[in-house]
Amino acid sequence: MNIGIVGLGLIGGSFAKAYRADGNTVFGHDTDAAILSFARLSGAIDGALDKSIIGQCDAMIIAVNPGDVVAYMEENAPIITKNTLVVDCCGVKRSVCSQCFPLAERYGFVFVGGHPMAGSHKAGFKNSRADLFRGASMILVPPVYDDPALLGHIEKTLNPAGFGHLTVTTAAKHDEMIAFSSQMAHVVSNAYIKSPTVREHNGFSAGSYEDLTRVARLNADMWAELCMDNNDFLIRELDGFINSIAQYRDALAAGDKSELAKLFEEGSRLKGEVDPQ
């Protein structure tokens, strides 16, 4: 296959390396010329994805911020061929799919919203790797849900990435779930690290600190855009969290050990129910 990759950061770079390792011809695009050059020199891509190449692609993976996905599609949709499958990889789907589905329909190709459930707090092409997605889940938001041939085509096209599971859903359901499973985790981690005590944690911290703060270091502009695009669902999750954590504080302030133990037991039991392993 001829594969076009737009955005050669951690996600796009890993897709490029995975498709290249599978024997496909990979063309890349990045706004940073140095990254594009390095990707080519390192063998992750065969050449630059420019307007003369777009029409030759069997599939395109767009791994940039939501607004940049839409801007790229608006500029290049007229030259994408009807045989090309386009999949984006950003962390919100309503704002992207609502604008890109009509563009794809107008020009006759297929656009699929996507979100690979794999990543790292270490960003950038230098941290990309061919096996990043191996065994991970790939969330898909297709334009239609009753077309087995389309879903089969998507699965075959994504096969070189090595996903362990494909989850098909709607844009709204994706954003609702991601507000909890991803965006909330980043907000909580980023807020937690702001305690003045953090500057004295060395020698006093272990696994629990590392687990909770792993995603505190992030791309601020990207995460601000993702969260603002999903602010309704994220605010709902934050409101629930604020209400819940206030119960722990109230029990502490009241000196109510039994209530605090009850709260701990409820959380522990729920964790065991949803994640039994």
Side-chain angles (χ1 to χ4, degrees):
M1 292 186 292
N2 288 336
I3 305 295
I5 309 289
V6 179
L8 293 171
L10 175 68
I11 300 300
S14 295
F15 268 111
K17 291 177 180 179
Y19 278 102
R20 192 75 169 78
D22 190 60
N24 300 285
T25 301
V26 179
F27 300 96
H29 170 77
D30 198 278
T31 55
D32 188 328
I35 292 177
L36 186 63
S37 178
F38 182 72
R40 187 167 188 172
L41 288 172
S42 67
I45 63 174
D46 294 279
L49 177 67
D50 55 32
K51 292 184 183 298
S52 68
I53 297 294
I54 289 175
Q56 301 176 34
C57 290
D58 299 295
M60 294 175 62
I61 306 293
I62 306 182
V64 295
N65 291 358
D68 294 328
V69 173
V70 175
Y72 185 87
M73 291 296 295
E74 288 177 338
E75 178 181 351
N76 294 289
I79 57 176
I80 297 175
T81 70
K82 294 183 178 181
N83 295 323
T84 304
L85 174 67
V86 181
V87 182
D88 92 282
C89 296
C90 64
V92 291
K93 294 275 76 78
R94 286 176 297 172
S95 61
V96 171
C97 291
S98 64
Q99 298 179 78
C100 292
F101 282 160
L103 276 173
E105 184 176 5
R106 184 188 315 163
Y107 292 103
F109 60 90
V110 175
F111 178 90
V112 177
H115 189 182
M117 292 290 94
S120 170
H121 61 288
K122 296 180 179 180
F125 178 82
K126 65 181 179 179
N127 293 302
S128 63
R129 62 182 198 269
D131 64 349
L132 180 68
F133 310 114
R134 187 69 55 188
S137 173
M138 175 64 163
I139 303 175
L140 298 172
V141 178
V144 294
Y145 300 88
D146 57 352
D147 188 344
L150 172 60
L151 295 177
H153 177 51
I154 297 170
E155 182 176 11
K156 182 179 180 181
T157 301
L158 293 175
N159 185 62
F163 290 106
H165 180 69
L166 301 181
T167 300
V168 180
T169 188
T170 65
K173 187 63 178 179
H174 167 277
D175 288 359
E176 178 184 14
M177 297 305 298
I178 290 301
F180 167 73
S181 67
S182 178
Q183 292 170 350
M184 263 285 290
H186 284 78
V187 171
V188 171
S189 180
N190 193 265
Y192 171 80
I193 201 72
K194 293 176 181 176
S195 166
T197 315
V198 75
R199 299 191 181 280
E200 304 173 47
H201 84 84
N202 286 329
F204 295 89
S205 57
S208 55
Y209 170 84
E210 293 296 333
D211 289 344
L212 188 51
T213 61
R214 183 180 66 82
V215 295
R217 184 182 298 172
L218 44 71
N219 181 322
D221 288 339
M222 181 188 77
W223 279 98
E225 181 176 351
L226 291 172
C227 290
M228 288 302 296
D229 278 356
N230 204 29
N231 62 355
D232 51 349
F233 284 129
L234 184 53
I235 288 171
R236 187 179 74 179
E237 290 295 337
L238 281 168
D239 286 345
F241 178 75
I242 291 168
N243 178 68
S244 180
I245 205 165
Q247 297 176 41
Y248 292 80
R249 188 198 183 284
D250 291 347
L252 287 165
D256 192 339
K257 179 182 176 182
S258 63
E259 176 63 17
L260 186 60
K262 176 185 174 183
L263 292 169
F264 280 139
E265 175 57 30
E266 288 174 350
S268 180
R269 183 177 66 250
L270 183 57
K271 174 62 176 177
E273 291 174 359
V274 298
D275 299 312
Q277 300 300 323

